[in-house]
Amino acid sequence: MDLKQRVSVVLVGTQSPGNIGMVCRAMKNMGLSDLRLVNPCQVDHLDAIKFAVSARNILDSARIFTSLEDAIADCEFSVATTRRHGKYRNEISTPAEIVERFSTCAPSSRLALVFGREDSGLTTDEVALCRWQSTIETADEFGSLNLSQAVLIFCYEFLKGVAPAPVKQAREVAGSASLEPLYQHMERSFLRIGYLNPQNPDHMMRTLRRVFSRAELDEREVSSLRGLLSQIDWACAEFKGKKGE
């Protein structure tokens, strides 16, 4: 399957119908067609139709979701596009680096390019749902890009593509549909044994998410970890409290 056909564009909380239309046009310019919208503004608005121009078919076929987790559930890889660096936003790649990494992945795998709101981007929790992070380098004086401009740049990198030439056979990695239940199970188990702070479990869980995202687990490894967590659940039936208390 062509590299571009394995890429989905996901817009989260888009506020302007015109921007949705312009994203459709940018996608069609660069040969991408799968658009997914998470809690968007009015999609059939006249501005969306007007700015989509000849990409009306992409607008009409766009799928709408109520959560980012559902929108990327069938994608083994996902990229949070973000300009903000911080404690939970590191290891940020360029668009070209994302294309190069994905081109060496299994040919059946899918990737979601996730873009946030025009005024505030993606939340930290939304970034945490994605396996990779990426940003577009801009001038220091004015780094803000229009949503459709950002989408166009990423789509252009996939249009250029990178010839896949993996040294070894590509691994079939687990997608979000398997990873999210793993993380939820992990959080429940670690709360039960006192490893996580019940007042702020997300602090450590974000770190664990980054660790396992880098590991690029396959389905067998996810199953093994779920088995380990189940054993922890069973063993802690006699748990008397956190160590040292």
Side-chain angles (χ1 to χ4, degrees):
M1 185 185 297
D2 182 89
L3 194 66
K4 302 187 300 300
Q5 295 176 316
R6 296 158 50 201
V7 177
S8 301
V9 172
V10 181
L11 307 183
V12 179
T14 311
Q15 299 156 321
S16 166
N19 276 337
I20 294 177
M22 286 188 283
V23 165
C24 292
R25 182 174 182 177
M27 291 174 61
K28 190 157 189 175
N29 285 151
M30 301 300 153
L32 278 72
S33 59
D34 186 35
L35 176 63
R36 307 179 184 192
L37 306 171
V38 180
N39 297 321
C41 57
Q42 184 181 348
V43 178
D44 58 353
H45 192 279
L46 287 177
D47 283 350
I49 296 170
K50 177 175 70 174
F51 287 109
V53 193
S54 60
R56 176 71 183 272
N57 62 311
I58 295 179
L59 180 65
D60 291 341
S61 62
R63 287 180 281 172
I64 298 177
F65 298 83
T66 57
S67 72
L68 175 57
E69 186 176 335
D70 289 341
I72 64 175
D74 65 331
C75 297
E76 290 83 0
F77 299 91
S78 50
V79 182
T81 60
T82 177
R83 289 188 61 243
R84 296 197 296 274
H85 294 246
K87 187 173 184 180
Y88 300 116
R89 297 168 186 250
N90 54 10
E91 301 171 10
I92 298 181
S93 304
T94 66
E97 288 169 341
I98 292 295
V99 176
E100 184 173 5
R101 291 171 72 179
F102 184 56
S103 69
T104 62
C105 296
S108 61
S109 59
R110 292 198 60 82
L111 177 136
L113 295 173
V114 183
F115 298 85
R117 302 153 191 84
E118 292 93 328
D119 59 351
S120 59
L122 296 168
T123 67
T124 297
D125 287 340
E126 289 164 346
V127 171
L129 287 173
C130 299
R131 188 182 297 270
W132 298 329
Q133 298 175 32
S134 183
T135 193
I136 298 169
E137 295 181 7
T138 55
D140 293 336
E141 311 86 70
F142 187 62
S144 178
L145 290 171
N146 174 271
L147 176 60
S148 63
Q149 293 174 329
V151 173
L152 182 66
I153 290 171
F154 274 91
C155 292
Y156 173 67
E157 292 295 341
F158 277 95
L159 177 68
K160 291 194 301 181
V162 176
V167 176
K168 58 183 179 180
Q169 185 175 0
R171 296 171 61 242
E172 295 277 358
V173 303
S176 296
S178 296
L179 291 175
E180 286 308 312
L182 168 65
Y183 296 140
Q184 293 163 12
H185 190 172
M186 191 177 295
E187 182 172 338
R188 291 194 302 271
S189 298
F190 289 173
L191 280 169
R192 190 174 182 185
I193 64 174
Y195 179 65
L196 298 180
N197 179 355
Q199 303 304 317
N200 186 19
D202 288 344
H203 174 71
M204 180 57 70
M205 284 305 303
R206 290 189 183 109
T207 298
L208 294 173
R209 279 174 174 270
R210 292 200 304 273
V211 170
F212 288 111
S213 289
R214 286 197 298 269
E216 298 186 353
L217 303 172
D218 58 31
E219 292 289 353
R220 182 178 179 181
E221 291 166 337
V222 169
S223 180
S224 296
L225 286 171
R226 292 295 298 271
L228 170 62
L229 293 169
S230 294
Q231 182 65 21
I232 290 174
D233 294 339
W234 176 83
C236 74
E238 302 298 324
F239 181 60
K240 302 301 182 183
K242 189 175 181 180
K243 182 174 66 175
E245 293 183 350

